[in-house]
Amino acid sequence: MIDFEVIPTALLYIMGAIPNTLFMAFVTMISAIILGSIIAVIRQNSGKMVNGVFAVIVSFLRGVPAIVQLFIVYNSLPFLLAPIISTFAGHTVKPFDVSPYWTVYTTFILYMTAYQSENIRGALMSVDKGQYEAAVSLGITPFRAFTRIVFPQAFIVALPSFFTYYLKTIKLLALVFTVKVIDMFAKADLFSALYNRRTEPYIADAIAYWGMAILLTFFFNWWEKRLRAKM
């Protein structure tokens, strides 16, 4: 039997994890956009061999479920980082002492970079090449022509997808409870264990995710309109 009086209490408990969830998603997306942009530019201006290598990497990251990648990184990265951290810390750091946030950020930045590289590459290809060629023929340097003419237009084209993937990242982060990082879903799971309630905290969690998605959508739409108005 669902006790609806428990849901508001669970919701308040879960809301304590919203800032951490939003921050992790923000860092992941900004990093993925930067790395994805670099990969997109390299692929657009490289030969078949380099393009093929990146194509395989992107295909792997997009084709393998995030939970599988998360466990691969969780069971390998700490063993690689522990000796490095030990060197800088001046004392021995064991793999299980390495913060699980290293695993979370590494996994999801790489995962989302694969998607953003394709998103940005498509946006770059949508910009008429004639604008770039005309700018270069007028004496503008290729770098300046790209950064001042091509990239701003591509950014506007890719912008709606950035927002969509930010919301997707927030939902994907529900997996991080498996590596002992506290996000909104982990909070719901903790509430369930502490108060022995098996349904109410997850209903509250669903409401929290839904409400946050609605608010972020309104904000993103407003921001997009402002950016388009300035172009």
Side-chain angles (χ1 to χ4, degrees):
M1 190 73 177
I2 298 175
D3 186 351
F4 289 96
E5 293 183 358
V6 175
I7 294 176
T9 304
L11 186 59
L12 287 173
Y13 186 79
I14 291 165
M15 286 175 66
I18 288 179
N20 190 39
T21 300
L22 291 176
F23 179 76
M24 287 192 294
F26 178 77
V27 171
T28 297
M29 275 304 300
I30 293 298
S31 302
I33 289 170
I34 293 171
L35 292 174
S37 298
I38 294 170
I39 291 173
V41 172
I42 291 173
R43 291 189 66 184
Q44 194 175 34
N45 297 281
S46 63
K48 290 184 178 180
M49 182 174 293
V50 174
N51 188 45
V53 171
F54 277 112
V56 170
I57 294 171
V58 168
S59 175
F60 175 83
L61 292 172
R62 294 180 67 186
V64 177
I67 187 68
V68 176
Q69 296 183 40
L70 185 65
F71 273 79
I72 290 173
V73 176
Y74 180 69
N75 289 291
S76 58
L77 185 64
F79 291 92
L80 298 174
L81 290 180
I84 298 172
I85 296 174
S86 297
T87 301
F88 287 98
H91 59 84
T92 302
V93 175
K94 296 181 180 179
F96 57 78
D97 293 325
V98 176
S99 172
Y101 281 95
W102 285 100
T103 295
V104 171
Y105 285 124
T106 300
T107 301
F108 289 104
I109 287 172
L110 290 175
Y111 184 77
M112 295 310 299
T113 292
Y115 285 93
Q116 291 313 309
S117 68
E118 292 296 285
N119 177 34
I120 295 166
R121 192 162 72 100
L124 289 172
M125 293 173 67
S126 72
V127 179
D128 183 12
K129 290 183 178 180
Q131 298 180 57
Y132 173 82
E133 293 170 353
V136 173
S137 68
L138 290 172
I140 300 174
T141 63
F143 177 78
R144 190 174 179 82
F146 178 80
T147 56
R148 296 296 297 273
I149 297 172
V150 177
F151 192 78
Q153 295 181 66
F155 180 82
I156 293 298
V157 172
L159 192 60
S161 293
F162 291 157
F163 298 156
T164 299
Y165 279 111
Y166 181 68
L167 293 175
K168 181 179 179 179
T169 302
I170 290 172
K171 290 180 284 186
L172 274 173
L173 287 171
L175 298 173
V176 302
F177 85 100
T178 59
V179 294
K180 304 177 181 67
V181 171
I182 303 299
D183 77 317
M184 293 165 63
F185 180 77
K187 274 280 193 175
D189 211 42
L190 285 170
F191 188 94
S192 175
L194 289 171
Y195 297 94
N196 195 30
R197 306 302 306 184
R198 300 304 177 193
T199 304
E200 294 87 351
Y202 301 109
I203 293 175
D205 201 34
I207 293 170
Y209 276 112
W210 184 35
M212 188 166 58
I214 291 172
L215 291 174
L216 286 173
T217 299
F218 276 116
F219 172 74
F220 290 156
N221 288 339
W222 170 80
W223 190 33
E224 183 182 353
K225 288 178 182 177
R226 284 180 60 88
L227 287 175
R228 288 185 182 277
K230 293 178 180 179
M231 292 298 295

